[in-house]
Amino acid sequence: QVRLVESGGGSVDTGGSLRLSCVVSGAPITSLCLGWFREFPESETMERENQRVGLASIFPRNGVVHYADFVGGRFTIGQDNDKSTVYLEMNNLKPEDTATYYCAAARYCSNILQLLRSQINYWGQGTLVTVSA
């Protein structure tokens, strides 16, 4: 069973930076496609997974990355295969970035941002990012 454990969330001021980490266990990182999503505080409880917004995707087998258009160069996804870890470097954070950030993984894909939420096999528990004005 694949397990994803996020860390690195916290509170920062506008313009600050954070680096989120996602440690992957239960499968080789190169057998998965992985990505980062976020869920805003006002999401309806019953539809939370469907309301998660995709931010970035990485395919560790070849390192190819994809970003949502609105990310605008502020976020960078990376990997460390030796540590089975995927990162999300976030810079110039804004209050509207306040959300719970989730690591996600799926098999048999190359770009997790293209999947339906129901096709994503694994989610982490989430890490909260709060950006103060």
Side-chain angles (χ1 to χ4, degrees), residues 36-95:
W36 288 93
F37 293 73
R38 66 186 180 188
E39 178 185 305
F40 295 110
E42 61 272 19
S43 295
E44 294 292 329
T45 302
M46 296 298 290
E47 299 289 333
R48 272 184 177 161
E49 282 193 14
N50 289 336
Q51 295 181 33
R52 290 174 185 172
V53 178
L55 303 170
S57 171
I58 191 164
F59 189 47
R61 189 175 302 171
N62 58 19
V64 173
V65 301
H66 299 274
Y67 295 95
D69 290 341
F70 64 84
V71 165
R74 296 188 298 126
F75 297 172
T76 303
I77 191 169
Q79 66 188 76
D80 184 331
N81 290 359
D82 291 338
K83 296 182 179 178
S84 292
T85 301
V86 173
Y87 302 98
L88 185 68
E89 187 79 35
M90 303 188 296
N91 298 308
N92 191 23
L93 285 163
K94 306 174 182 179

Side-chain angles (χ1 to χ4, degrees), residues 31-37 54-69 77 104-117 119-120:
S31 69
L32 304 166
C33 66
L34 294 115
W36 288 93
F37 293 73
L55 303 170
S57 171
I58 191 164
F59 189 47
R61 189 175 302 171
N62 58 19
V64 173
V65 301
H66 299 274
Y67 295 95
D69 290 341
I77 191 169
R107 298 186 185 273
Y108 314 119
C109 69
S110 59
N111 180 357
I112 202 169
L113 299 182
Q114 295 180 330
L115 299 184
L116 299 174
R117 299 297 174 266
Q119 295 174 309
I120 295 175

